[in-house]
Amino acid sequence: MADGEGEVEVEQAAPVSTGGVPPGGYDILSALKEVLKKSLISDGLARGLHEAAKALDKRQAHLCVLASNCEEPAYIKLVEALCAEHNINLIKVPDSKQLGEWAGLCKLDKEAKPRKVVRCSCVVVKDFGEESEALNFVLDYIKNKGA
């Protein structure tokens, strides 16, 4: 994973149901959502700038996810610099509210729909949790985009 690492920009995709593999296979956003969910379950996520910067600096990170609509340029510059310095893959997603929902920064109502979603501009994956098809898809995506 150390060779060919870099920044990957992700475009907005249609929402996908959470029930297993989507009908047409994975796109990068649905696969990333599942990887973040499994990482959250195994307590392998660092959410927010402070936790993310600590994890990146200690080289505990396997993957960094940054929201493209972050309004603070110094924040983006710091995260990108830490990822580049330590050769950690960086994926950009379009929306910080969506990233906050994927990182578990929300309350769920009775129908398991997210309510009170907190925006999150940066999430670092320290532990992928169990291996899955989505994880393999994300790792292949990074490898192909970085090459």
Side-chain angles (χ1 to χ4, degrees):
M1 213 157 87
D3 55 309
E5 313 239 347
E7 182 179 318
V8 181
E9 184 78 31
V10 180
E11 296 177 12
Q12 181 68 32
V16 179
S17 66
T18 58
V21 179
Y26 283 109
D27 67 339
I28 187 61
L29 291 179
S30 61
L32 191 59
K33 177 181 179 179
E34 188 172 320
V35 167
L36 290 177
K37 188 182 345 175
K38 290 190 186 289
S39 296
L40 180 63
I41 291 169
S42 67
D43 198 30
L45 285 185
R47 304 170 286 194
L49 181 62
H50 187 253
E51 286 182 36
K54 284 193 327 189
L56 289 169
D57 215 24
K58 290 180 182 178
R59 293 181 168 88
Q60 296 174 333
H62 296 295
L63 174 68
C64 182
V65 184
L66 183 65
S68 295
N69 67 343
C70 179
E71 297 154 359
E72 186 62 43
Y75 190 113
I76 295 170
K77 196 173 183 180
L78 173 67
V79 172
E80 287 176 345
L82 285 171
C83 288
E85 180 183 344
H86 300 306
N87 291 328
I88 296 166
N89 291 312
L90 176 66
I91 295 180
K92 288 189 175 183
V93 295
D95 187 30
S96 59
K97 260 205 186 305
Q98 190 177 41
L99 185 58
E101 179 185 330
W102 294 349
L105 296 174
C106 63
K107 299 283 184 188
L108 299 176
D109 64 7
K110 293 178 184 175
E111 291 86 35
K113 292 184 181 171
R115 301 283 182 229
K116 297 184 180 178
V117 180
V118 177
R119 294 178 2 164
C120 182
S121 293
C122 183
V123 174
V124 170
V125 179
K126 298 186 287 185
D127 178 19
F128 285 118
E130 65 183 55
E131 192 166 326
S132 66
E133 207 175 306
L135 174 59
N136 293 332
F137 183 88
V138 169
L139 293 176
D140 287 344
Y141 180 84
I142 291 168
K143 190 168 34 172
N144 293 337
K145 286 291 185 176

